[in-house]
Amino acid sequence: MIWLNWRQFRLQALAGAAGLALIAVYLLYLGVEIRDAYDAYRTRCSDPGNCAQARSQFQSTYQNTLLFLAGGLGLIPIIIGTFWGAPLIARELELSTHRLVWNQSVPRRRWLISRMAFVGLAAMILTGLVSLLLTWAASPYDQVAADRFGAVVFGARNIAPIGYAFLAFALGTVVGLLVRRTLPAMAITGVVFLVLQFSVPNLVRPHLIPPEKTTMPMTSQDINQARNLGSITGAPSIGGLQVPGAPDAWISETSPLRTADGRTLGESTFNDCLNTPPKTGAGGTFGDTAVCLSKLNLHVDIEYQPSSRYWPFQLTETGLYLVVSGILIAIAIRRIRHA
């Protein structure tokens, strides 16, 4: 069975190996370049006055590149699911070539398990190596940016991509077994996994581990450190805050701006400070608006995950994907008897 699996999978395996080699060359080059830039940034940070500017310059140089690479790594499981998983059984059923094997001495379940094990292992190895290379290349940047919990970044570092790849492969295999047509199976697999990739970071990940909660007073300094203020609906919201003493914590939920009695700040009062604040000549990101809001004795309630929980989240989410993959494999093994 090993030789047969290799014969049927060798073109995909060679294409994957070639792609891995190209990615490895680029990421090794990029990793060395980032480390040189990081050393230059650390040298400039010997002067506290230049450190903020040096950090901003270092981050802006590589932020878009690394986000693009993280997004590219997120596409690898989709490619594996649609081009490796979906056709694995669907093509055999569509062309009726499965009968040749089943008429031999190989039981259906053994045939299915050996095929899934061979290709599934290759998918995990390929994705794991790319993830390892990207994690190594980006590690100096990740130390400075302190954004390891970011929706795109988290799914492109360490072991999480391995779980994604195996789930995509298992999903594609089961869809192909049920649909029995290659092209429809590929399309369904791609769409379903795209939905999963969007849903899990936003709907599932924040609830894997119960968050810590805190109340954060909104001084003018804290407001100026935020990334955004307000929303298109005019709601009194603030975003991009940092937990005091834990700048790399993941804030999973931030309440609207609230008054001292716990009520949400009125939109009219918020908009007055946002659009026509009293002129004070204050500096900072939001200037007079920050001063105006700080005089209202506001606060926000925050739910966050400390940075020490990064690896528990990696292990929990990866384990979740592997469990779901196991369920899909069990469905496939049960279904193959009636194929």
Side-chain angles (χ1 to χ4, degrees):
M1 287 298 296
I2 294 177
W3 174 246
L4 177 61
N5 286 327
W6 165 248
R7 292 274 299 175
Q8 293 181 312
F9 183 64
R10 65 185 184 277
L11 293 180
Q12 296 96 317
L14 292 174
L20 175 62
L22 293 174
I23 293 171
V25 170
Y26 175 72
L27 288 178
L28 289 171
Y29 166 80
L30 180 65
V32 172
E33 181 181 304
I34 290 177
R35 279 159 174 75
D36 290 340
Y38 178 75
D39 292 340
Y41 150 72
R42 295 292 297 173
T43 300
R44 292 178 62 186
C45 263
S46 58
D47 181 0
N50 294 330
C51 197
Q53 182 180 359
R55 182 188 302 110
S56 177
Q57 183 177 356
F58 174 71
Q59 288 185 238
S60 62
T61 301
Y62 296 104
Q63 182 179 33
N64 291 335
T65 299
L66 291 174
L67 279 176
F68 176 80
L69 290 172
L73 178 53
L75 291 176
I76 292 179
I78 298 177
I79 294 172
I80 287 173
T82 54
F83 291 96
W84 290 11
L88 187 71
I89 308 301
R91 184 185 293 116
E92 301 276 5
L93 297 175
E94 190 173 22
L95 301 177
S96 298
T97 54
H98 61 289
R99 293 180 181 145
L100 178 62
V101 178
W102 293 355
N103 286 332
Q104 307 300 319
S105 60
V106 181
R108 296 185 183 191
R109 289 184 176 181
R110 179 186 170 191
W111 173 76
L112 175 65
I113 292 171
S114 65
R115 295 221 64 190
M116 293 190 70
F118 190 88
V119 182
L121 182 61
M124 296 172 73
I125 291 174
L126 172 65
T127 310
L129 289 174
V130 175
S131 174
L132 177 65
L133 287 165
L134 180 56
T135 301
W136 171 81
S139 59
Y141 175 88
D142 290 342
Q143 293 177 28
V144 176
D147 188 33
R148 294 191 301 170
F149 280 106
V152 177
V153 174
F154 183 89
R157 301 287 194 273
N158 297 299
I159 63 173
I162 300 175
Y164 302 160
F166 192 61
L167 176 59
F169 168 73
L171 175 66
T173 303
V174 172
V175 171
L177 181 58
L178 297 175
V179 175
R180 304 173 68 94
R181 294 291 183 270
T182 303
L183 291 180
M186 293 172 68
I188 293 171
T189 300
V191 171
V192 171
F193 199 77
L194 277 174
V195 172
L196 284 174
Q197 282 190 315
F198 175 80
S199 301
V200 171
N202 295 285
L203 302 178
V204 178
R205 187 179 299 158
H207 307 289
L208 290 176
I209 300 176
E212 299 287 337
K213 299 180 180 180
T214 188
T215 297
M216 184 174 174
M218 287 290 95
T219 66
S220 59
Q221 181 180 358
D222 292 319
I223 294 172
N224 279 321
Q225 289 179 348
R227 294 177 184 171
N228 53 73
L229 192 59
S231 67
I232 58 175
T233 62
S237 62
I238 187 169
L241 296 170
Q242 291 184 343
V243 178
D248 52 352
W250 171 32
I251 296 180
S252 56
E253 186 173 344
T254 303
S255 72
L257 291 166
R258 290 175 173 164
T259 57
D261 59 2
R263 297 182 180 180
T264 299
L265 178 66
E267 290 187 12
S268 59
T269 303
F270 175 73
N271 288 329
D272 287 342
C273 281
L274 189 64
N275 300 321
T276 57
K279 300 297 182 182
T280 64
T285 305
F286 300 105
D288 294 333
T289 295
V291 175
C292 178
L293 291 172
S294 67
K295 292 180 179 179
L296 300 176
N297 192 23
L298 303 174
H299 69 273
V300 292
D301 296 322
I302 291 175
E303 294 184 0
Y304 71 98
Q305 299 288 352
S307 60
S308 59
R309 295 182 179 177
Y310 175 79
W311 271 106
F313 266 94
Q314 280 272 325
L315 292 169
T316 302
E317 187 165 323
T318 304
L320 176 64
Y321 276 102
L322 294 178
V323 168
V324 176
S325 301
I327 294 173
L328 291 173
I329 292 172
I331 292 173
I333 293 173
R334 183 178 179 84
R335 178 67 179 177
I336 197 67
R337 297 190 314 177
H338 308 288

